[in-house]
Amino acid sequence: MVVVTGQNKVSANPDDAMSSSDAEDDFQEPATPTATQAGQALPLLPQQFPEVVPLNVGGMFFTTRLSTLRRYEDTMLAAMFSGRHYIPTDAEGRYFIDRDGTYFGDILNFLRSGDLPPRERVRSVYKEAQYYSIGPLLDNLEDIQPLKGEKVRQAFLGLMPYYKDHLERIIEIAKLRAMQRKARFAKLKVCVFKEEMPITPYECPHFNSLRFERSDSETKLFEHHCEVDVSFGPWEAVADVYDLLHCIVTDLSARGIAVDHQCIGVCDKHLINHYYCKRPIYEFKITWW
């Protein structure tokens, strides 16, 4: 007997019939598509957001309009809430951003009405604005204190050869000495000088610039290294020795290092004729605990 299923015929001739294994192979269930295949076949729909968006930023809760988050197109927040990316929600349905939310309110206030944070929060808000790539807020913050002053300070430090390297050397020497002595603090000598060569009181009225010219042979007579641990200088700028000392202490303090300093004299090395070095020497005291 010949069995007809649809338009397919199964021959009664045993030679033409398929084996049971062949039949099972031909009629296997389709394999479950992989995630990649499913994504290719059925692309995910854009994520939809409500007009009023509840937010959970690192455990701190905020509520704002969707249009506020999208205020500036080239920001991370605008991209996150564009619908092109999936944003998880917490147990209460708030959209979760895994970031410290301490200064997120300042970010929202700028996006809402252009408000800037008070001075004591400017540096911290600037870091958050960098993370969220909010260019207009970064531009505004850079034009106010303390960031505007920091630009001027960095321009001055740019004139200082090996400034960052010298800071590292101060830290390394102080740490090594404290560990060797098993002490809370360590002291080291630091020379800070502005002029490349000494200027006597008799020469000052004759030179209006910060540097003056000497012959190569004369210059070599004034070349020497003071007997100190670290030496800063020379530089050409109106900012003086005390300004550089302030920068050194500020940058060490920013790294959590407690530092005191005092002038303990000058370098008395004799150079030539009536010339002595006279570069000021400072004692730096680094306290570790």
Side-chain angles (χ1 to χ4, degrees):
M1 175 175 134
V2 177
V3 178
V4 179
T5 303
Q7 296 179 352
N8 296 326
K9 295 182 180 180
V10 180
S11 172
N13 189 338
D15 294 333
D16 297 331
M18 294 186 298
S19 67
S20 60
S21 61
D22 291 338
E24 289 173 0
D25 290 341
D26 286 353
F27 290 94
Q28 286 180 347
E29 289 288 333
T32 303
T34 64
T36 303
Q37 293 170 336
Q40 293 173 347
L42 296 173
L44 295 174
L45 295 175
Q47 189 172 11
Q48 301 295 319
F49 298 101
E51 183 178 355
V52 177
V53 182
L55 297 170
N56 177 345
V57 184
M60 300 182 67
F61 306 142
F62 303 88
T63 303
T64 189
R65 293 175 62 94
L66 181 61
S67 58
T68 298
L69 297 171
R70 296 175 176 176
R71 176 64 52 84
Y72 299 103
E73 294 182 356
D74 296 332
T75 67
M76 180 186 292
L77 288 173
M80 291 171 65
F81 290 91
S82 65
R84 301 190 303 270
H85 307 282
Y86 173 74
I87 302 193
T89 57
D90 63 13
E92 302 299 325
R94 304 182 187 92
Y95 294 97
F96 180 72
I97 299 176
D98 193 10
R99 182 77 176 175
D100 187 350
T102 303
Y103 302 101
F104 191 75
D106 293 301
I107 298 293
L108 286 181
N109 287 336
F110 177 79
L111 295 176
R112 288 166 176 155
S113 54
D115 293 343
L116 297 176
R119 176 171 179 164
E120 63 269 17
R121 295 207 300 267
V122 165
R123 293 183 185 274
S124 298
V125 175
Y126 187 82
K127 292 181 180 179
E128 295 304 295
Q130 287 180 312
Y131 176 78
Y132 292 110
S133 302
I134 306 176
L137 177 54
L138 292 171
D139 293 339
N140 278 271
L141 293 177
E142 288 173 356
D143 283 337
I144 63 176
Q145 290 286 37
L147 295 184
K148 193 173 185 67
E150 182 63 17
K151 277 188 174 182
V152 178
R153 192 178 81 96
Q154 291 299 329
F156 162 57
L157 293 179
L159 302 174
M160 195 62 50
Y162 310 111
Y163 175 76
K164 292 183 178 179
D165 293 338
H166 291 339
L167 286 184
E168 293 297 331
R169 181 167 174 77
I170 288 175
I171 296 172
E172 289 301 317
I173 292 175
K175 181 174 69 174
L176 180 61
R177 288 180 181 172
M179 293 180 68
Q180 288 175 339
R181 296 176 58 245
K182 309 297 188 294
R184 288 182 59 226
F185 62 87
K187 295 180 180 180
L188 62 159
K189 292 181 180 180
V190 177
C191 177
V192 181
F193 65 101
K194 182 175 180 179
E195 287 80 16
E196 185 172 8
M197 292 175 288
I199 303 176
T200 68
Y202 303 100
E203 290 178 303
C204 286
H206 300 291
F207 300 97
N208 296 321
S209 63
L210 294 175
R211 296 179 66 183
F212 53 93
E213 299 297 330
R214 297 177 189 255
S215 67
D216 291 340
S217 59
E218 289 176 325
T219 299
K220 291 180 179 179
L221 294 174
F222 290 93
E223 290 179 353
H224 81 287
H225 298 285
C226 302
E227 296 180 1
V228 295
D229 298 297
V230 182
S231 185
F232 291 85
W235 68 88
E236 293 185 38
V238 174
D240 59 21
V241 169
Y242 298 103
D243 296 319
L244 181 59
L245 286 169
H246 181 273
C247 290
I248 296 171
V249 173
T250 297
D251 290 334
L252 290 175
S253 299
R255 298 180 60 172
I257 297 174
V259 53
D260 295 308
H261 69 280
Q262 61 177 344
C263 184
I264 58 174
V266 296
C267 176
D268 285 328
K269 183 177 178 60
H270 178 254
L271 302 178
I272 182 175
N273 298 332
H274 58 283
Y275 286 103
Y276 291 80
C277 175
K278 301 304 180 184
R279 293 171 180 170
I281 307 297
Y282 294 84
E283 181 182 76
F284 273 55
K285 180 180 177 182
I286 307 293
T287 302
W288 290 105
W289 83 84

